[in-house]
Amino acid sequence: MYKGFNLTLTRADKMDFMDVSSQNIELYSSGIHKLRSNLLDRISSSIDLTDETGIIDVTKLKNNWFPENNYDVFISHSHNDVLLAKRIACWLKTEFDIDAFIDSTVWGYSNDLLKKIDDDYCVLSKNQKTGMITYDYDKRNYSTSQVNLILSSALHDMIDSCECIIFLNTENSISVVNTIKNKTNSPWIYDELQTTRLISKKVPKRLMEKAEFRDSDFINKSSNKLPSFQHDVTQELTKLSKITGNDLVNWERKWHSMQKNKGDRKPLDLLYFS
Protein backbone atom coordinates (compact mmCIF):
# COMPACT_ATOMS: atom_id res chain seq x y z
CA MET A 1 0.00 0.00 0.00
CA TYR A 2 1.20 3.46 -0.88
CA LYS A 3 -1.46 5.85 0.37
CA GLY A 4 -4.77 5.86 2.24
CA PHE A 5 -7.73 8.23 2.20
CA ASN A 6 -10.38 8.98 4.83
CA LEU A 7 -13.41 9.78 2.66
CA THR A 8 -16.40 11.66 4.05
CA LEU A 9 -19.42 12.29 1.84
CA THR A 10 -22.32 14.70 2.24
CA ARG A 11 -25.87 13.63 1.51
CA ALA A 12 -25.60 15.40 -1.85
CA ASP A 13 -22.34 13.56 -2.63
CA LYS A 14 -24.02 10.24 -1.96
CA MET A 15 -26.86 11.17 -4.27
CA ASP A 16 -24.33 11.99 -7.00
CA PHE A 17 -22.89 8.51 -6.75
CA MET A 18 -26.41 7.12 -6.89
CA ASP A 19 -26.42 8.42 -10.50
CA VAL A 20 -23.98 5.69 -11.46
CA SER A 21 -25.65 3.54 -14.10
CA SER A 22 -27.89 0.93 -12.53
CA GLN A 23 -26.84 -1.30 -15.42
CA ASN A 24 -23.20 -1.04 -14.31
CA ILE A 25 -24.21 -1.86 -10.74
CA GLU A 26 -26.18 -4.86 -11.99
CA LEU A 27 -23.21 -6.07 -14.02
CA TYR A 28 -20.92 -5.60 -11.02
CA SER A 29 -23.31 -7.47 -8.72
CA SER A 30 -23.78 -10.32 -11.21
CA GLY A 31 -20.00 -10.59 -11.50
CA ILE A 32 -19.74 -10.83 -7.72
CA HIS A 33 -22.51 -13.44 -7.66
CA LYS A 34 -20.66 -15.52 -10.26
CA LEU A 35 -17.43 -15.13 -8.31
CA ARG A 36 -19.23 -16.16 -5.13
CA SER A 37 -20.70 -19.30 -6.73
CA ASN A 38 -17.34 -20.38 -8.13
CA LEU A 39 -15.61 -19.55 -4.88
CA LEU A 40 -17.98 -21.63 -2.76
CA ASP A 41 -17.21 -24.62 -4.98
CA ARG A 42 -13.48 -24.01 -4.61
CA ILE A 43 -13.79 -23.58 -0.84
CA SER A 44 -15.72 -26.80 -0.54
CA SER A 45 -13.07 -28.56 -2.61
CA SER A 46 -10.34 -27.20 -0.34
CA ILE A 47 -12.09 -28.61 2.72
CA ASP A 48 -12.97 -31.93 1.12
CA LEU A 49 -9.47 -32.44 -0.26
CA THR A 50 -7.72 -32.82 3.09
CA ASP A 51 -4.66 -35.04 3.34
CA GLU A 52 -4.70 -38.53 4.82
CA THR A 53 -4.59 -37.07 8.35
CA GLY A 54 -7.70 -34.96 7.73
CA ILE A 55 -5.74 -31.69 8.01
CA ILE A 56 -7.03 -28.73 5.99
CA ASP A 57 -4.35 -26.91 3.98
CA VAL A 58 -4.82 -23.29 5.12
CA THR A 59 -2.62 -21.88 2.36
CA LYS A 60 -4.68 -23.61 -0.33
CA LEU A 61 -7.89 -22.57 1.40
CA LYS A 62 -6.84 -18.89 1.58
CA ASN A 63 -5.69 -18.89 -2.04
CA ASN A 64 -9.06 -20.29 -3.12
CA TRP A 65 -10.95 -17.86 -0.91
CA PHE A 66 -9.62 -14.63 -2.39
CA PRO A 67 -9.88 -13.59 -6.05
CA GLU A 68 -6.69 -13.72 -8.07
CA ASN A 69 -7.29 -10.36 -9.78
CA ASN A 70 -4.94 -7.45 -9.25
CA TYR A 71 -6.68 -4.47 -7.66
CA ASP A 72 -5.62 -0.82 -7.49
CA VAL A 73 -7.85 0.34 -4.64
CA PHE A 74 -9.13 -1.35 -1.47
CA ILE A 75 -12.48 0.06 -0.28
CA SER A 76 -13.04 -0.37 3.47
CA HIS A 77 -16.62 0.26 4.58
CA SER A 78 -19.51 -0.72 6.83
CA HIS A 79 -21.70 -3.55 5.55
CA ASN A 80 -24.58 -1.02 5.69
CA ASP A 81 -22.77 1.02 3.01
CA VAL A 82 -22.21 -1.85 0.59
CA LEU A 83 -24.36 -0.26 -2.16
CA LEU A 84 -22.47 3.02 -1.85
CA ALA A 85 -19.17 1.12 -2.01
CA LYS A 86 -20.29 -0.69 -5.16
CA ARG A 87 -21.32 2.59 -6.79
CA ILE A 88 -17.95 4.17 -6.00
CA ALA A 89 -16.19 1.07 -7.37
CA CYS A 90 -18.20 1.38 -10.61
CA TRP A 91 -17.43 5.11 -10.81
CA LEU A 92 -13.69 4.43 -10.41
CA LYS A 93 -13.83 1.82 -13.17
CA THR A 94 -15.93 3.94 -15.53
CA GLU A 95 -14.07 7.23 -15.12
CA PHE A 96 -10.48 6.06 -14.51
CA ASP A 97 -10.35 2.35 -15.40
CA ILE A 98 -9.35 1.71 -11.78
CA ASP A 99 -10.18 -1.70 -10.31
CA ALA A 100 -11.48 -1.54 -6.74
CA PHE A 101 -11.72 -4.39 -4.25
CA ILE A 102 -14.76 -4.23 -1.95
CA ASP A 103 -13.98 -6.05 1.27
CA SER A 104 -17.58 -7.04 2.00
CA THR A 105 -17.51 -9.27 -1.09
CA VAL A 106 -15.43 -11.72 0.98
CA TRP A 107 -16.88 -11.13 4.46
CA GLY A 108 -19.91 -13.27 3.63
CA TYR A 109 -17.71 -16.13 2.51
CA SER A 110 -16.42 -16.52 6.07
CA ASN A 111 -19.92 -17.49 7.25
CA ASP A 112 -20.33 -19.91 4.36
CA LEU A 113 -16.93 -21.43 5.05
CA LEU A 114 -17.61 -21.66 8.78
CA LYS A 115 -21.00 -23.31 8.20
CA LYS A 116 -19.37 -25.89 5.92
CA ILE A 117 -16.71 -26.74 8.52
CA ASP A 118 -19.13 -26.77 11.45
CA ASP A 119 -21.64 -29.00 9.68
CA ASP A 120 -18.87 -31.47 8.86
CA TYR A 121 -16.94 -31.43 12.13
CA CYS A 122 -18.74 -29.65 14.98
CA VAL A 123 -22.25 -31.12 15.16
CA LEU A 124 -23.16 -32.37 18.66
CA SER A 125 -26.73 -33.44 17.90
CA LYS A 126 -29.49 -32.92 15.35
CA ASN A 127 -33.23 -33.04 16.01
CA GLN A 128 -34.67 -35.18 13.22
CA LYS A 129 -38.15 -33.66 13.61
CA THR A 130 -37.27 -29.96 13.70
CA GLY A 131 -33.94 -30.12 11.91
CA MET A 132 -32.41 -28.00 14.69
CA ILE A 133 -28.67 -28.57 15.05
CA THR A 134 -26.71 -28.28 18.28
CA TYR A 135 -23.00 -27.63 17.84
CA ASP A 136 -20.15 -28.46 20.21
CA TYR A 137 -19.27 -25.16 21.92
CA ASP A 138 -15.53 -25.78 22.18
CA LYS A 139 -15.22 -27.04 18.61
CA ARG A 140 -17.22 -24.04 17.35
CA ASN A 141 -14.91 -21.66 19.20
CA TYR A 142 -11.92 -23.34 17.60
CA SER A 143 -13.34 -23.33 14.07
CA THR A 144 -14.47 -19.69 14.37
CA SER A 145 -11.04 -18.54 15.54
CA GLN A 146 -9.41 -20.40 12.64
CA VAL A 147 -11.71 -18.93 9.98
CA ASN A 148 -11.52 -15.38 11.35
CA LEU A 149 -7.74 -15.55 11.51
CA ILE A 150 -7.55 -16.77 7.91
CA LEU A 151 -9.88 -13.97 6.79
CA SER A 152 -7.94 -11.33 8.71
CA SER A 153 -4.63 -12.55 7.30
CA ALA A 154 -5.99 -12.60 3.74
CA LEU A 155 -7.39 -9.05 4.12
CA HIS A 156 -3.98 -7.86 5.35
CA ASP A 157 -2.37 -9.33 2.24
CA MET A 158 -4.98 -7.69 0.01
CA ILE A 159 -4.48 -4.26 1.62
CA ASP A 160 -0.72 -4.65 1.27
CA SER A 161 -1.01 -5.55 -2.43
CA CYS A 162 -3.38 -2.68 -3.30
CA GLU A 163 -1.76 0.64 -4.09
CA CYS A 164 -4.40 2.72 -2.35
CA ILE A 165 -7.08 2.31 0.33
CA ILE A 166 -10.24 4.40 0.61
CA PHE A 167 -12.10 4.25 3.92
CA LEU A 168 -15.78 5.27 3.70
CA ASN A 169 -16.18 7.34 6.86
CA THR A 170 -19.95 7.40 7.43
CA GLU A 171 -22.36 7.30 10.34
CA ASN A 172 -22.48 3.55 9.77
CA SER A 173 -18.75 2.96 10.10
CA ILE A 174 -17.79 5.49 12.80
CA SER A 175 -19.93 5.99 15.90
CA VAL A 176 -21.29 9.50 16.48
CA VAL A 177 -23.40 8.71 19.54
CA ASN A 178 -23.17 11.40 22.24
CA THR A 179 -19.55 12.54 22.48
CA ILE A 180 -17.98 9.35 21.16
CA LYS A 181 -15.90 10.06 18.09
CA ASN A 182 -13.51 8.05 15.96
CA LYS A 183 -14.78 4.78 17.40
CA THR A 184 -16.12 1.89 15.38
CA ASN A 185 -18.27 -1.06 16.42
CA SER A 186 -16.84 -3.16 13.61
CA PRO A 187 -13.85 -5.35 14.46
CA TRP A 188 -13.15 -5.74 10.74
CA ILE A 189 -12.97 -1.99 10.09
CA TYR A 190 -10.74 -1.64 13.14
CA ASP A 191 -8.46 -4.42 11.88
CA GLU A 192 -8.25 -2.95 8.37
CA LEU A 193 -7.50 0.58 9.58
CA GLN A 194 -4.91 -0.70 12.02
CA THR A 195 -3.29 -2.59 9.15
CA THR A 196 -2.91 0.65 7.17
CA ARG A 197 -0.97 2.09 10.12
CA LEU A 198 1.32 -0.90 10.62
CA ILE A 199 2.26 -2.10 7.14
CA SER A 200 5.21 -0.60 5.29
CA LYS A 201 4.31 2.01 2.71
CA LYS A 202 5.45 1.15 -0.80
CA VAL A 203 6.07 3.84 -3.40
CA PRO A 204 4.91 2.78 -6.89
CA LYS A 205 7.84 2.20 -9.23
CA ARG A 206 6.50 4.69 -11.75
CA LEU A 207 6.70 7.48 -9.14
CA MET A 208 10.19 6.56 -7.97
CA GLU A 209 11.38 6.89 -11.56
CA LYS A 210 10.14 10.47 -11.81
CA ALA A 211 12.88 12.93 -10.84
CA GLU A 212 10.48 15.46 -9.32
CA PHE A 213 9.27 12.87 -6.80
CA ARG A 214 12.52 11.16 -5.83
CA ASP A 215 13.24 13.41 -2.87
CA SER A 216 9.65 13.70 -1.71
CA ASP A 217 8.32 12.23 1.50
CA PHE A 218 6.09 9.48 0.21
CA ILE A 219 4.98 8.17 3.60
CA ASN A 220 1.35 9.11 4.20
CA LYS A 221 1.32 10.84 7.59
CA SER A 222 -1.45 11.76 7.55
CA SER A 223 -30.37 -8.40 28.11
CA ASN A 224 -29.24 -11.59 26.17
CA LYS A 225 -28.23 -9.00 23.72
CA LEU A 226 -24.58 -9.18 22.78
CA PRO A 227 -22.40 -6.42 24.27
CA SER A 228 -21.41 -3.59 21.98
CA PHE A 229 -17.68 -3.46 21.35
CA GLN A 230 -16.03 -0.22 20.29
CA HIS A 231 -12.54 0.17 18.89
CA ASP A 232 -10.74 3.51 19.00
CA VAL A 233 -9.40 4.28 15.52
CA THR A 234 -8.17 7.82 16.19
CA GLN A 235 -4.54 6.91 15.52
CA GLU A 236 -5.41 4.98 12.40
CA LEU A 237 -7.50 7.81 10.93
CA THR A 238 -4.66 10.32 11.39
CA LYS A 239 -2.65 8.22 8.94
CA LEU A 240 -5.28 8.63 6.21
CA SER A 241 -5.52 11.81 4.14
CA LYS A 242 -8.93 13.47 4.46
CA ILE A 243 -10.92 13.84 1.24
CA THR A 244 -14.51 14.73 0.44
CA GLY A 245 -16.96 14.21 -2.38
CA ASN A 246 -15.84 17.54 -3.87
CA ASP A 247 -12.27 16.26 -4.00
CA LEU A 248 -13.43 13.22 -5.97
CA VAL A 249 -15.42 15.38 -8.39
CA ASN A 250 -12.42 17.71 -8.90
CA TRP A 251 -10.19 14.68 -9.45
CA GLU A 252 -12.52 13.42 -12.18
CA ARG A 253 -12.76 16.87 -13.79
CA LYS A 254 -8.98 17.42 -13.82
CA TRP A 255 -8.31 13.94 -15.19
CA HIS A 256 -10.70 14.33 -18.12
CA SER A 257 -9.52 17.91 -18.80
CA MET A 258 -5.97 16.64 -19.34
CA GLN A 259 -7.13 14.74 -22.45
CA LYS A 260 -4.09 13.93 -24.59
CA ASN A 261 -1.64 15.52 -22.15
CA LYS A 262 -1.92 12.60 -19.72
CA GLY A 263 1.23 10.99 -21.06
CA ASP A 264 2.18 8.05 -18.87
CA ARG A 265 0.52 9.49 -15.78
CA LYS A 266 -1.92 7.32 -13.88
CA PRO A 267 -5.20 8.70 -12.50
CA LEU A 268 -4.22 7.83 -8.92
CA ASP A 269 -1.09 10.00 -9.26
CA LEU A 270 -3.34 13.01 -9.82
CA LEU A 271 -5.28 12.16 -6.65
CA TYR A 272 -2.12 11.68 -4.59
CA PHE A 273 -0.59 15.06 -5.46
CA SER A 274 -3.65 17.28 -5.91
Side-chain angles (χ1 to χ4, degrees):
M1 191 194 89
Y2 167 55
K3 195 161 186 174
F5 294 97
N6 177 12
L7 173 62
T8 55
L9 297 171
T10 65
R11 185 181 181 86
D13 293 331
K14 293 177 183 178
M15 292 304 296
D16 286 339
F17 284 111
M18 291 301 175
D19 288 338
V20 173
S21 169
S22 57
Q23 183 178 8
N24 287 345
I25 294 292
E26 186 176 340
L27 287 173
Y28 183 89
S29 298
S30 63
I32 291 299
H33 179 73
K34 182 178 180 181
L35 171 65
R36 184 183 181 88
S37 299
N38 293 339
L39 191 54
L40 289 179
D41 291 337
R42 292 161 64 187
I43 286 175
S44 295
S45 298
S46 298
I47 296 174
D48 295 335
L49 296 177
T50 56
D51 62 20
E52 62 277 4
T53 64
I55 296 175
I56 295 173
D57 187 330
V58 171
T59 299
K60 181 191 297 183
L61 180 59
K62 191 169 78 168
N63 290 340
N64 282 348
W65 192 345
F66 271 64
E68 299 170 354
N69 307 53
N70 292 320
Y71 292 89
D72 305 299
V73 174
F74 184 102
I75 299 180
S76 176
H77 65 95
S78 163
H79 69 277
N80 291 324
D81 292 323
V82 62
L83 181 56
L84 177 61
K86 286 181 179 180
R87 290 183 181 279
I88 291 176
C90 288
W91 175 77
L92 289 170
K93 184 65 177 177
T94 301
E95 301 299 336
F96 306 101
D97 196 27
I98 289 175
D99 291 313
F101 176 80
I102 300 179
D103 54 3
S104 64
T105 60
V106 296
W107 284 349
Y109 302 151
S110 63
N111 291 331
D112 297 324
L113 172 59
L114 192 55
K115 187 69 165 61
K116 169 68 175 173
I117 294 175
D118 290 344
D119 285 346
D120 287 350
Y121 300 101
C122 304
V123 173
L124 191 62
S125 65
K126 182 174 182 179
N127 188 308
Q128 297 300 325
K129 291 184 178 180
T130 64
M132 182 174 292
I133 299 175
T134 301
Y135 295 97
D136 184 288
Y137 180 76
D138 292 328
K139 287 183 177 180
R140 277 280 291 118
N141 281 348
Y142 179 73
S143 62
T144 300
S145 64
Q146 290 285 348
V147 170
N148 285 343
L149 184 60
I150 296 170
L151 173 57
S152 178
S153 172
L155 285 172
H156 295 169
D157 289 342
M158 182 63 76
I159 291 173
D160 186 51
S161 67
C162 286
E163 183 177 311
C164 172
I165 182 171
I166 295 177
F167 168 57
L168 299 190
N169 189 334
T170 71
E171 63 277 6
N172 293 319
S173 55
I174 296 295
S175 301
V176 291
V177 180
N178 299 323
T179 59
I180 299 176
K181 294 182 179 180
N182 290 340
K183 294 185 184 294
T184 180
N185 295 325
S186 169
W188 293 113
I189 287 178
Y190 173 69
D191 185 55
E192 291 166 3
L193 291 179
Q194 188 179 53
T195 301
T196 68
R197 178 168 62 89
L198 297 177
I199 63 175
S200 298
K201 302 300 186 288
K202 297 178 292 189
V203 181
K205 184 178 179 180
R206 67 178 184 277
L207 296 182
M208 290 297 291
E209 292 173 347
K210 294 180 181 293
E212 63 267 35
F213 298 137
R214 284 176 187 157
D215 297 325
S216 299
D217 178 12
F218 286 102
I219 303 302
N220 180 27
K221 297 178 179 175
S222 345
S223 61
N224 292 330
K225 188 177 180 180
L226 285 172
S228 177
F229 295 90
Q230 289 191 329
H231 308 271
D232 193 325
V233 292
T234 302
Q235 278 190 306
E236 285 70 22
L237 291 180
T238 61
K239 301 295 182 180
L240 305 181
S241 300
K242 293 183 178 180
I243 57 173
T244 65
N246 284 335
D247 294 320
L248 295 184
V249 172
N250 289 333
W251 174 34
E252 176 188 349
R253 177 180 53 77
K254 289 179 182 178
W255 177 251
H256 290 300
S257 68
M258 292 173 67
Q259 297 179 351
K260 296 182 180 180
N261 296 322
K262 294 184 176 109
D264 61 349
R265 295 192 71 179
K266 301 294 183 181
L268 283 174
D269 297 352
L270 190 62
L271 178 65
Y272 297 152
F273 301 106
S274 61

